[in-house]
Amino acid sequence: MSPVIVTLRVVDGPDRGIVFDDLRPTIKIGREEGNTVRLRDERASRFHAKIHEDAGEILITDLESTNGTWVNGEPVQIAPLNPGDRIMIGRSVLVIDYHRPDVPDEKTIDQQATFLLGGDATDEMPEEMSTPVLELIQQQADATAAAKDQERTPTGPPAAQRAKLPRLPQGLSPGQTAGLARIFDTLHKQLAPILSEARVDQATKTVHLSPQQWQQVLELAWMLSTYYRRLVEPDT
């Protein structure tokens, strides 16, 4: 596989209009000398983020910056990048483009999902990267579960009947971690509106969903079962 060639275009911020092209991962971004991409942005950290490659996936990782790293308006610790994504660092917005000379077509979402489900799980993430990332995802999951428990009415199921989530797997590569986080985030974003719009009848202790909402729940259940089958039976 040929090396990926990355272009970063600054579309907002003090360096607006500057194009950093013909870059090869790993690409470090920050305001200090020694970065591949040096920004004249006082809100960018000295070494703010890095763009790197793992098993064919292009990723961005926040380097414990003060103001965080954002991709397409969402804060990220580690996330996959697609051509056209907008990266916000401090007051600067960078648009990424990348390609491989021997791969004319861009990756599709299906190909990225194939990497997650069928990638080489023996590629271990460096300890200094894997532990904070996985702990962050677990903390977010624990916080969400705690918030839901506080919002539960007395008519909800007792604690003994609630599903206990297993711990997240350790030793994932950066690409697999980012892909897994993206799946969780997608499922959560599709499920949250359904739950918020559901009607609860306290008198009959029932929950009412519209036919469209119920169809969405069925589709989410099908999606989860498909992922499960592809994980446990990758050759079928």
Side-chain angles (χ1 to χ4, degrees), residues 29-33 35 37-39 41-42 44-47:
I29 307 172
R31 71 171 195 272
E32 191 79 2
E33 288 187 15
N35 285 288
V37 173
R38 188 181 182 188
L39 300 174
D41 187 339
E42 72 279 2
S45 294
R46 295 172 58 249
F47 296 94

Side-chain angles (χ1 to χ4, degrees), residues 50 52 61-62 64 77-78 123-138 167-178:
K50 69 176 180 179
H52 53 112
T61 296
D62 182 79
E64 299 183 358
Q77 173 63 37
I78 180 172
D123 292 339
E124 293 187 358
M125 185 189 300
E127 181 64 25
E128 67 272 17
M129 180 185 301
S130 62
T131 300
V133 170
L134 292 174
E135 286 183 351
L136 176 63
I137 297 173
Q138 185 64 50
R167 299 291 297 180
L168 287 164
Q170 304 293 313
L172 297 178
S173 70
Q176 291 170 323
T177 300

Side-chain angles (χ1 to χ4, degrees), residues 48-49 60-81 86-90 133 136-137 140 177-178 181-182 185-186 189:
H48 196 108
I60 187 167
T61 296
D62 182 79
L63 300 177
E64 299 183 358
S65 65
T66 301
N67 296 311
T69 300
W70 301 66
V71 176
N72 297 330
E74 297 288 340
V76 299
Q77 173 63 37
I78 180 172
L81 290 173
R86 299 171 66 88
I87 303 165
M88 184 174 180
I89 290 177
V133 170
L136 176 63
I137 297 173
Q140 291 174 336
T177 300
R182 181 171 54 189
D185 184 57
T186 300
K189 286 180 178 178

Side-chain angles (χ1 to χ4, degrees), residues 206-222:
T206 57
V207 177
H208 300 274
L209 298 175
S210 69
Q212 181 180 4
Q213 291 169 334
W214 178 241
Q215 181 63 35
Q216 291 174 326
V217 170
L218 295 177
E219 290 175 357
L220 288 173
W222 173 85

Side-chain angles (χ1 to χ4, degrees), residues 78-104:
I78 180 172
L81 290 173
N82 296 309
D85 282 349
R86 299 171 66 88
I87 303 165
M88 184 174 180
I89 290 177
R91 295 189 294 114
S92 302
V93 178
L94 301 85
V95 176
I96 185 171
D97 189 19
Y98 62 83
H99 71 280
R100 299 181 191 277
D102 59 349
V103 181

